[in-house]
Amino acid sequence: MDKFRMIFQFLQSNQESFMNGICGIMALASAQMYSAFDFNCPCLPHYNLAYGLGILLVPPFILFLLGFVLNNNVSMLAEEWRRPQGQRGKDPAVLRYMFCSMAQRAMIAPAVWVSVTLLDGKCITCAFCTSVPVETLGNTSHPGLSQGEMKRVLARIPCKEIYNGQELIANEVAVRYLRCISQALGWCFVLLMTTLAFLVRSLRPCFTQAAFLKSRYWSHYIDIERKLFDETCAEHARSFAKVCIQQFFEGMSTDLASARCHPPRKAPADVGEAAEKLLGITDQGTMNTALKSWHRCKPPLHLHPPALPSGNGWAGEEQPPTHPAVTLCSCHFTWIPP
């Protein structure tokens, strides 16, 4: 059990590395899923386009949403976006930074799926087989066919075993033509994604360094504040439960002692420490009010320094202003004649 707790604490302390690992695993899983996927083109004029583009675009969309679901910061972003204004303002730049950071990680697996799909060429071959230029690649001396018959013949290009239009256009020629276009689109997509990743990760901080540092700092603050709040609530709940259980057994011990004429046992010392950790919140209604207050009106991001005690011990007495580095003292001298 301690090993699992250590692993969980390590993942919490290295959340960014953990999320990068999750994104890498999802990317490898998407490539493995496509290699294991049984692609079966319907080879019908009205269904080829929908099936091919569906396989190309629907799984990446699912992987994109799954990347957001597996990210622990989604709930934090939604909470920060929907919380009331209160005494703390909401910076849209920080929210945009948090969303962009999550979106960048969530787009890795969909980009891998689209790249692998385009480089393989089956989806494009199935979706656009009816758009093959027969006048350029086919047999122009073949007797003319109607538009519907032509599409029915070309729609069977991905299904080599049932293709019956070799006199019109060779199956290998059409497949190589469509696969060449698909691979060209795939490499262009890889180049585009790599260029965008380079611009986002490398050039953005150079042009907006101050805004970038500010957004990153406050996004980290929101994340750390939420973790510390959860830890404080868990510690308070643990102390609350310990005191509640101890009071229950003390009551039972008192009742038994009065019935059997035995003196009740003293409470252990750790119960007093647990009662001090409750910070005066000792009932359910007060705790619910405190949690609602935290949600509706979080404290402002302005820390007040502690009041320094004065000479007579009262901290509220007004003190004369002093320079932070140098304190000037005015001394009065009286001249006595010889």
Side-chain angles (χ1 to χ4, degrees):
M1 192 66 183
D2 294 336
K3 293 182 179 180
F4 289 107
R5 188 181 295 108
M6 292 175 60
I7 294 175
F8 181 72
Q9 291 176 355
F10 173 78
L11 294 178
Q12 279 189 332
S13 60
N14 299 272
Q15 186 177 6
E16 185 173 359
S17 301
F18 174 69
M19 291 308 304
N20 292 335
I22 289 293
C23 293
I25 292 174
M26 288 184 58
L28 295 176
S30 64
Q32 188 65 26
M33 286 170 55
Y34 180 80
S35 62
F37 178 71
D38 188 13
F39 187 88
N40 291 313
C41 185
C43 297
L44 295 173
H46 301 291
Y47 297 95
N48 283 9
L49 182 62
Y51 182 82
L53 294 182
I55 298 300
L56 180 64
L57 301 177
V58 173
F61 181 72
I62 297 175
L63 292 172
F64 182 73
L65 295 180
L66 187 61
F68 274 97
V69 171
L70 295 178
N71 198 318
N72 297 328
N73 295 330
V74 173
S75 58
M76 180 181 64
L77 176 62
E79 180 183 349
E80 183 66 18
W81 178 46
R82 295 294 300 172
R83 70 171 177 84
Q85 188 78 10
Q87 299 181 5
R88 182 187 301 182
K90 292 186 288 186
D91 191 353
V94 178
L95 299 178
R96 286 195 301 268
Y97 175 84
M98 296 169 61
F99 177 79
C100 292
S101 298
M102 291 184 292
Q104 290 173 17
R105 294 188 177 95
M107 286 179 62
I108 296 177
V112 172
W113 177 277
V114 174
S115 302
V116 173
T117 304
L118 290 177
L119 292 176
D120 185 63
K122 292 180 182 178
C123 289
I124 297 299
T125 302
C126 178
F128 298 100
C129 57
T130 57
S131 302
V132 174
V134 181
E135 297 81 5
T136 305
L137 304 176
N139 184 11
T140 56
S141 61
H142 189 273
L145 298 174
S146 63
Q147 192 70 16
E149 294 176 349
M150 178 80 69
K151 286 189 174 183
R152 279 194 296 270
V153 172
L154 295 179
R156 297 176 181 177
I157 290 177
C159 307
K160 189 175 182 179
E161 61 277 2
I162 63 173
Y163 181 65
N164 56 356
Q166 292 289 346
E167 297 83 3
L168 179 63
I169 183 174
N171 181 271
E172 187 68 21
V173 173
V175 169
R176 284 179 176 270
Y177 172 78
L178 293 172
R179 184 168 294 177
C180 177
I181 295 177
S182 179
Q183 291 178 351
L185 292 175
W187 285 115
C188 291
F189 180 79
V190 172
L191 178 62
L192 177 63
M193 291 291 103
T194 306
T195 305
L196 288 177
F198 171 76
L199 294 177
V200 170
R201 301 290 293 181
S202 302
L203 299 183
R204 186 185 63 176
C206 298
F207 292 102
T208 58
Q209 183 67 22
F212 176 77
L213 292 176
K214 183 188 71 172
S215 301
R216 185 171 62 177
Y217 175 85
W218 289 115
S219 66
H220 289 170
Y221 172 83
I222 294 172
D223 185 21
I224 295 173
E225 183 188 54
R226 185 187 183 190
K227 292 178 181 178
L228 292 178
F229 181 77
D230 292 340
E231 293 175 2
T232 305
C233 289
E235 184 177 358
H236 188 278
R238 189 178 298 107
S239 302
F240 196 104
K242 181 181 293 185
V243 174
C244 185
I245 294 172
Q246 184 63 31
Q247 289 180 355
F248 170 77
F249 282 104
E250 284 179 358
M252 293 292 296
S253 176
T254 303
D255 295 340
L256 292 175
S258 61
R260 299 180 182 180
C261 299
H262 291 297
R265 296 181 180 180
K266 295 182 178 180
D270 57 347
V271 177
E273 296 178 358
E276 293 179 357
K277 294 181 180 179
L278 294 179
L279 303 176
I281 303 177
T282 56
D283 60 275
Q284 184 178 8
T286 307
M287 190 65 214
N288 292 337
T289 304
L291 294 176
K292 291 179 181 179
S293 177
W294 174 263
H295 171 70
R296 294 176 180 175
C297 187
K298 288 187 177 181
L301 298 176
H302 178 71
L303 303 180
H304 299 281
L308 298 177
S310 59
N312 55 5
W314 294 97
E317 185 177 350
E318 183 178 358
Q319 298 293 326
T322 58
H323 194 274
V326 180
T327 302
L328 300 179
C329 298
S330 58
C331 301
H332 300 276
F333 298 92
T334 303
W335 181 76
I336 302 176

